[in-house]
Amino acid sequence: MMETKVKIIERVKQGEKIVDIAHSYNMNHSTTGMILQNKDKIMKDVKSVVLMMSTIILKKHGKGMEEMEKLLSVWMQDEHQHQVPLSLMLIQEKTKSFYEDLKKKHGEESEGSAFKASHGWYHQFKDRANLHNVKVRGDTRESP
């Protein structure tokens, strides 16, 4: 539900009519209005969750993970702007490459299991990085 609220807020910011947005989500106009009325609180809650998730990831994989996600986000946006087709497999390979390079840079040793750039990680990363507009072949959750 939180994801839907954020999408509604983003669509209003992009200039879509509230009536059209409410209709697309099969909601009452008043429900959409309440979401917009509470948008500051909703966005604050979203930022808190993103910060918490980033902290969990940082603790689990070290400081290289946060830097790797930033690099990957920039790379994906650049590829998207240049209309380079992306596949989930290509993104996973690029992710592992960035991660390994950054581990070496930061002098981090491999502890326990290696980072796998799994489908679950990818979908959470895509949400955290707000990359909903980037189309990826093999992504089962592509936005319409």
Side-chain angles (χ1 to χ4, degrees), residues 21-37:
I21 297 169
H23 181 70
S24 73
Y25 287 102
N26 209 16
M27 288 183 176
N28 291 328
H29 180 269
S30 61
T31 303
T32 308
M34 287 300 293
I35 291 170
L36 294 172
Q37 190 174 355

Side-chain angles (χ1 to χ4, degrees), residues 85-117:
L86 292 173
S87 70
L88 186 54
M89 189 182 334
L90 176 64
I91 292 168
Q92 288 171 315
E93 288 173 13
K94 192 70 170 176
T95 301
K96 289 179 204 175
S97 172
F98 279 151
Y99 185 70
E100 289 304 316
D101 290 347
L102 289 167
K103 269 183 26 179
K104 289 175 189 169
K105 175 185 168 188
H106 293 293
E108 295 177 11
E109 294 298 319
S110 183
E111 296 177 9
S113 60
F115 174 64
K116 294 181 172 85

Side-chain angles (χ1 to χ4, degrees), residues 48-87:
S48 295
V49 169
V50 168
L51 181 60
M52 181 183 71
M53 292 300 294
S54 296
T55 302
I56 290 168
I57 287 169
L58 186 59
K59 287 180 181 176
K60 185 175 179 184
H61 293 288
K63 60 187 170 186
M65 178 62 111
E66 185 176 9
E67 192 174 344
M68 181 274 302
E69 287 193 356
K70 287 177 185 174
L71 288 171
L72 184 64
S73 176
V74 169
W75 175 79
M76 285 180 67
Q77 290 174 1
D78 186 56
E79 297 293 286
H80 179 70
Q81 276 186 328
H82 290 96
Q83 299 179 345
V84 175
L86 292 173
S87 70

